[in-house]
Amino acid sequence: KGTFEIQNYNVTYVLDGVQYGDVETHEYNSDVTVRPAPEVPAGYHFSGWSIPETFEMPARDVEITGRTIANDDTKYRVEHYKENVDGTFTLAEGRDETGTTGVTVTEGAKEYEGFSYDPAAGEAPLKSGTIAGDGSLTLRLYYTRNSYDVTYKVDGAAYEGAESYRYGEQVSIKAEPVKDGYTFSGWSIPETFEMPARDVEITGTFTANGDTKYTVEHYLEGLDGKYTAGQTEDLTGETDTLATANPKTFTGFTYDKESEKNVTEGTVTGDGKLVLKLYYTRD
């Protein structure tokens, strides 16, 4: 009778296309126990080996394969922050999301009234990132406050320069302008206000006073031919309107309407310094 020798064959494990561990040698028809599932990183799971847990060694080499598969329910976080007036940031809204481990995700910028997305603002800004298996990925988007202009107009004309304020910042109104012979209406907006998400125009008007002072001086000719003030009238009129001096009657004198010294009319100035002059010759 002949003698037969039992043959040995190899069992090789391949994980994700790469040999996993040492090659094992087993006799033909022997029972082979498949290795335990390998440990995989957080956020992944093992597909299972391609051969059941135990098998009988065939008359050939055997390759057992398995794959590491990314989880599709790995958590990550999305947060949107808005800038405070003092320059710090406060969480405006946040949410938890899930996705496939190792995949890059991107969060779109939102629109907030009075704010603009700023990719360089805040602490650790991140609009796109790769989902980490341990769930540590946090996307952070920051929004800075927009600036708007406050302009002033008086009687339709620009008054001083424009001022820039950030949305939500407290605005202190300029002091009311002063103009001799006029009364200011007051600004169209209260003394202080919170800057809205738009430019603001603040208006005011001047109204001419009706009681602005002006003076009419009446000069009488002396015996020596020189003129001295005979009477002074303190009158009032509307600022920037035309005032006319009316001659008076003085015994022994006649109004000299041809005198080159006469100042018979003039515009009432706001400072009250208009002086009209009438000259009278001695009869």
Side-chain angles (χ1 to χ4, degrees):
K1 295 183 179 179
T3 302
F4 297 91
E5 181 179 348
I6 298 176
Q7 296 293 315
N8 292 324
Y9 297 94
N10 293 330
V11 175
T12 304
Y13 292 81
V14 176
L15 177 63
D16 297 327
V18 179
Q19 182 177 315
Y20 175 71
D22 297 330
V23 176
E24 298 177 356
T25 301
H26 295 273
E27 291 183 346
Y28 169 65
N29 276 343
S30 65
D31 291 331
V32 179
T33 300
V34 176
R35 291 177 184 174
E39 292 186 3
V40 294
Y44 294 83
H45 64 277
F46 182 56
S47 65
W49 293 118
S50 58
I51 290 182
E53 188 173 342
T54 61
F55 65 95
E56 189 175 90
M57 191 67 197
R60 58 179 173 79
D61 293 336
V62 173
E63 181 179 273
I64 302 174
T65 60
R67 294 186 301 114
T68 301
I69 301 174
N71 296 341
D72 60 4
D73 59 353
T74 303
K75 292 182 178 180
Y76 67 96
R77 176 85 175 157
V78 176
E79 297 176 344
H80 296 263
Y81 291 83
K82 293 197 291 186
E83 184 185 20
N84 300 314
V85 175
D86 64 2
T88 60
F89 289 87
T90 297
L91 179 65
E93 58 180 295
R95 69 182 189 276
D96 292 322
E97 295 281 359
T98 59
T100 302
T101 305
V103 171
T104 297
V105 289
T106 300
E107 175 70 3
K110 292 182 174 292
E111 291 188 3
Y112 296 106
E113 184 181 49
F115 294 84
S116 293
Y117 168 64
D118 186 344
E123 182 179 351
L126 189 65
K127 192 173 189 290
S128 297
T130 301
I131 298 176
D134 59 2
S136 61
L137 174 65
T138 299
L139 301 181
R140 298 183 183 89
L141 285 76
Y142 293 85
Y143 303 80
T144 53
R145 288 177 180 260
N146 296 335
S147 292
Y148 301 93
D149 287 338
V150 176
T151 55
Y152 294 79
K153 281 189 176 180
V154 177
D155 293 328
Y159 175 71
E160 298 185 348
E163 298 176 342
S164 181
Y165 292 88
R166 291 185 301 158
Y167 170 63
E169 191 174 359
Q170 287 295 312
V171 179
S172 295
I173 301 296
K174 289 180 183 289
E176 293 184 358
V178 176
K179 186 177 180 181
D180 288 340
Y182 288 83
T183 299
F184 188 61
S185 64
W187 294 119
S188 58
I189 289 181
E191 186 174 347
T192 60
F193 65 95
E194 192 174 273
M195 193 67 195
R198 57 178 174 80
D199 293 336
V200 173
E201 182 178 274
I202 301 174
T203 60
T205 57
F206 279 114
T207 301
N209 295 339
D211 58 353
T212 302
K213 293 181 179 181
Y214 69 96
T215 302
V216 178
E217 296 176 344
H218 300 268
Y219 289 87
L220 306 180
E221 183 185 16
L223 293 173
D224 58 1
K226 296 180 179 180
Y227 287 84
T228 57
Q231 184 180 351
T232 298
E233 295 179 277
D234 292 324
L235 304 175
T236 59
E238 184 176 321
T239 304
D240 284 333
T241 61
L242 187 66
T244 303
N246 297 313
K248 297 182 73 67
T249 300
F250 296 98
T251 302
F253 293 87
T254 300
Y255 169 58
D256 184 3
K257 63 180 180 181
E258 303 299 330
S259 174
E260 294 180 353
K261 296 180 181 180
N262 287 332
V263 181
T264 60
E265 62 182 21
T267 300
V268 179
T269 57
D271 58 8
K273 292 183 178 181
L274 172 66
V275 178
L276 304 180
K277 299 177 181 182
L278 299 181
Y279 286 80
Y280 300 79
T281 58
R282 185 176 288 269
D283 294 342

